[in-house]
Amino acid sequence: MVDWKEQPAVQQLKSILTKEIIDSIAASRDDFSPWSLDSFRRSRGSSSWQIDGVGDSVLSNATAEDAIPTAPDFQHDVSKALSKSDARNLGLPSKDKGHKAEFASTNTDEHQLLDSPEKLARRQLRERRRERRARELIQLDYEAQLKLENAAIEHFKSVDSAILGKYSIWRRDSDNENSDSLVRLMRDQIIMARVYSIIAKSKNKYELYQELLIRLKDNRRSLGDANADGDLQHNAAEKMKLMGQTLSKSREELYACKEVSQRLRMMLQSEEEQVRSLKKQGAFLIQLAAKTIPNGIHCLSMRLNIAYNLLPPEKNIFPRSENLVNPNLFHYALFSDNVLAAAVVVNSTVMNAKEPVKHVFHLVTDKLNFGAMKMWFLLNPPGKATIEVENVDEFEWLNSSYCPVLRQLESAAMREYYFRAGHATTTSSNLKYRNPKYLSMLNHLRFYLPQVYPKLDKILFLDDDIVVQKDLTGLWSIDLKGNVNGAVETCGQSFHRFDKYLNFSNPHIARNFNPSACGWAYGMNIFDLKQWKKRDITGLYHKWQNMNEDRVLWKLGTLPAGLLTFYKLTHPLDKSWHVLGLGYNPSVDRSEIETAAVIHYNGNMKPWLELAMSKYRNYWTRYIKHDHPYVRSCSVSE
C-alpha cells in the first residue's frame, strides 16, 4: 500500500522505468524511511548520476534534468550499478564483469561521462528550447502590455472630465497629480473629526470631545470656501497638523471599525436628506426668481409710463400705418409685457434685416405696460420698419363667452389653484405652472392670430425671450406643404416627445395621438393664416381647451395645447433657424449659437435676470441701447 501522496510519483516512474527496476528499488528501501529514486542513487547509483560541485543531498532542478538520461541509457547505467547477482536476477546484460572498479571510477571518468557528445548535444538542445520559450514569453508579455496600454488610452478618451468633477484623476487639465491635495485632506479630516466627536460624546470622553470640537472649528475657519490650495489661509498647514495629532489620539482611544462605519453611514444619510431639501428649496427659489421683474426693468417701465401720460395725443401716433395691413410685407407678432425684452427682439430683427423697410412689427401688451411699451418705440423707432403697439384689454371680442381659457381663469377652482395660501404642492414641480404668465391672455393670444390680424396671409410669431441674428425673410418663402405651422422639432431627446407633455392615461389623448410623436418649439413659428382659417384651428383649440377644464389632459401652459391643436399640421424647419436651450442648458454648442438665425432663452434663466448664464448673456445685451438716458438712470446692467 502506497501513501496517497506518493501515488502520482509512482505513476510517473512507471512510465519511465521497467517493472524490474521498480521492484528492485522497492526491495532495497529502508524499512524506517520513505523510498525514493534519490535514495537509490546514493546507495547504488553509477558515477554518471553524480554532479561535480554538488553534494549528494542537494540537486537543483536544472542539474537533475541534465543528469537523468533517456530510458535506454538509464536502463544501461542502472545495469552497470547493480551487483552481479542483481543483474542476473533482473536479467540485465552486463558488459563488464568489473563492476566494483566501475563503481569506484575516478573524477576523470565522471567528467568524461558528463561531457560525452550525446549528453552535450542534448544539453545544447535543451538550452536552445529554453531560450526560444523565453523569447516567446517575452513577446507575449509585450503584446499583452501593449493591449492594456491601448485599452487604457481609449478609456481615457471616453471619459468626460466635466462630469467626473474637479478632483478626478482623469481630469485632462490636471498638470499636477497632487493638485489641491491640502483642501481634500482638510475635508477628510473634518469628516473623521465629526465621526470621532460623536463617538467620544457617546462614551463620555468629554475632554477629547471638546478638543475635537475646537479642531473642527479651527479647520472650518481655515478652509472657508476654498476649492484650491492657493485659496487656503496661511495658517492652514498648522491647523492640519494639530488636527492630525488629535485624530491620531482619537483613533487610539475610540477606533472600532464597526462603529466608525455605522457613523459614516448615518452621516451619509443625513447629508443626502439635506441635499434633497436644498434641491427643493433651490427649485422653489429659481421659480420665484423667474417670476420677478428686476428693479432696472421696473424702473424703466415706470419712467416710460410717466413720460407717455405727459405726451400730447397728437404725438403718440406711429408713422406708416398703411403698412400694417399690407399682405406683401413681412409681418411679425410679438406679445409681451417686458419693455426691454421686446426692444431687444425688434432691434435685433431690424439690425439683421436686409430690407428693414419691408418689415412690420405688431406688438400687443397689457394695460399696465401699454404706455411704457408705446413710449419706448416712439422715442426709439425701429429705423425704416413699421411698428404698432396694442392693448390686449381693448380687444372686445376676446371675452369669457368666446374664449374658454378666460372662462376657466375666472373660475373659483382656478383662483383656488393659484392664490390659496400655503398650498400643499408649493415646492413641487407643479410650481412652474403657477407662474402668473399663465393668468395673462398674452400667453394664449397666439391661438387667435387670424382674429387679431384678419387681413394678413402669413405672420411670423416671436417670443420675447429670443434674439434674431440673421435676416428672416427666407421664412416667408418656405413651402409649408399645406400645413398651418412651420416650426423646429425638438425630438432629439425623449423628454420632448408627446408623452412628456400629455396625459396618455386619458382615453381622449391615447386614442388620438402618438406618444412618441415629435414635439416642436414655440418661440419662432411661421403661420399660414389662410390654412388656419380653412381648417378652423381656433375652433379646434377651443375644443381641447374645453375638455381640459379640470386639467386632466395636460397641466397649464400653451405648448401642450399647441401640440394637440397643430398635430399633423406642423412642417419641420431646419434646426439652424431656431436654436433653443440658452435659458437652461449650459452646454449648447457655441458653433450652433453663432450660425443660428434665432437663439431662444427658453427656461428660467432669462437674460434679463441675475440668474442668467453669463456665457450666453452677451448675445442679448449687445442689442440694448445702453446710451439711452432712461436705461442709464435706471441702472439697467449689462
Side-chain angles (χ1 to χ4, degrees), residues 20 36 44 46 48 66 75 92 136 150 172 239 267 273 317 358 510 529 566 589 597 616:
E20 290 80 2
S36 67
R44 299 189 184 188
S46 71
S48 66
D66 293 342
Q75 184 174 352
L92 297 173
E136 292 175 354
N150 291 335
R172 293 185 176 89
K239 300 298 182 184
M267 287 174 59
E273 289 294 332
I317 301 173
K358 294 184 178 182
L529 300 184
F566 296 101
D589 195 311
Y616 303 142

Side-chain angles (χ1 to χ4, degrees), residues 89-357:
N89 293 332
L90 293 173
L92 297 173
S94 180
K95 295 182 180 180
D96 190 354
K97 294 182 180 179
H99 291 94
K100 292 182 180 180
E102 280 187 354
F103 228 80
S105 61
T106 62
N107 290 335
T108 303
D109 297 330
E110 181 177 320
H111 280 292
Q112 289 175 353
L113 287 170
L114 287 172
D115 298 331
S116 63
E118 294 81 2
K119 290 186 177 292
L120 184 61
R122 285 196 298 271
R123 188 179 300 112
Q124 290 174 350
L125 286 172
R126 283 193 293 272
E127 290 296 332
R128 284 196 291 270
R129 284 197 299 270
R130 288 175 186 146
E131 291 176 1
R132 186 170 63 253
R133 182 58 179 164
R135 286 194 299 270
E136 292 175 354
L137 291 174
I138 290 172
Q139 181 65 23
L140 289 173
D141 183 63
Y142 172 75
E143 292 175 356
Q145 184 178 1
L146 188 62
K147 288 180 180 179
L148 288 174
E149 290 176 355
N150 291 335
I153 291 171
E154 292 300 322
H155 179 68
F156 173 80
K157 291 178 181 178
S158 66
V159 173
D160 188 352
S161 59
I163 296 175
L164 291 178
K166 182 174 178 59
Y167 298 111
S168 170
I169 61 173
W170 295 97
R171 190 176 60 181
R172 293 185 176 89
D173 59 347
S174 178
D175 296 328
N176 180 9
E177 61 182 14
N178 296 319
S179 168
D180 306 334
S181 57
L182 297 181
V183 172
R184 295 198 302 271
L185 177 58
M186 291 191 73
R187 289 174 176 170
D188 292 342
Q189 284 183 335
I190 289 173
I191 292 172
M192 291 309 301
R194 289 175 58 191
V195 172
Y196 283 131
S197 65
I198 297 172
I199 298 175
K201 187 176 181 180
S202 64
K203 293 187 176 182
N204 298 326
K205 301 275 187 178
Y206 293 111
E207 184 176 348
L208 182 58
Y209 172 69
Q210 292 297 329
E211 184 177 353
L212 285 166
L213 291 183
I214 293 172
R215 299 292 176 234
L216 274 170
K217 184 177 180 181
D218 292 343
N219 272 37
R220 283 170 173 162
R221 186 182 296 114
S222 297
L223 181 61
D225 297 328
N227 289 316
D229 291 351
D231 300 332
L232 293 172
Q233 296 183 9
H234 66 280
N235 62 347
E238 180 184 354
K239 300 298 182 184
M240 281 192 295
K241 182 178 179 181
L242 294 174
M243 175 65 90
Q245 295 172 355
T246 304
L247 289 176
S248 179
K249 186 198 305 183
S250 303
R251 184 166 54 250
E252 293 175 359
E253 296 186 24
L254 304 173
Y255 184 78
C257 183
K258 183 178 180 180
E259 191 169 2
V260 170
S261 63
Q262 287 177 347
R263 294 296 177 183
L264 287 171
R265 281 196 296 270
M266 292 171 61
M267 287 174 59
L268 179 61
Q269 293 174 357
S270 175
E271 294 295 335
E272 288 176 346
E273 289 294 332
Q274 290 184 26
V275 168
R276 280 194 289 269
S277 175
L278 290 173
K279 282 184 177 180
K280 290 181 180 179
Q281 293 180 20
F284 173 76
L285 293 175
I286 288 174
Q287 296 294 340
L288 186 63
K291 300 175 185 179
T292 60
I293 298 176
N295 288 335
I297 296 178
H298 181 70
C299 167
L300 180 63
S301 293
M302 296 297 293
R303 294 287 301 271
L304 290 169
N305 260 318
I306 294 172
Y308 180 77
N309 290 326
L310 297 175
L311 195 68
E314 63 273 11
K315 292 186 177 182
N316 64 2
I317 301 173
F318 291 109
R320 297 183 290 276
S321 59
E322 66 278 4
N323 291 339
L324 297 177
V325 293
N326 186 348
N328 297 319
L329 300 179
F330 306 117
H331 295 265
Y332 299 84
L334 175 61
F335 309 143
S336 175
D337 58 359
N338 187 325
V339 175
L340 194 63
V344 168
V345 174
V346 174
N347 289 346
S348 63
T349 305
V350 172
M351 289 175 65
N352 291 286
K354 294 180 180 178
E355 297 179 279
V357 69

Side-chain angles (χ1 to χ4, degrees), residues 396-415:
E396 297 181 356
W397 55 268
L398 194 62
N399 50 60
S400 57
S401 61
Y402 173 68
C403 178
V405 72
L406 264 179
R407 184 176 65 254
Q408 293 168 12
L409 290 174
E410 293 173 358
S411 67
M414 193 64 71
R415 288 197 298 271

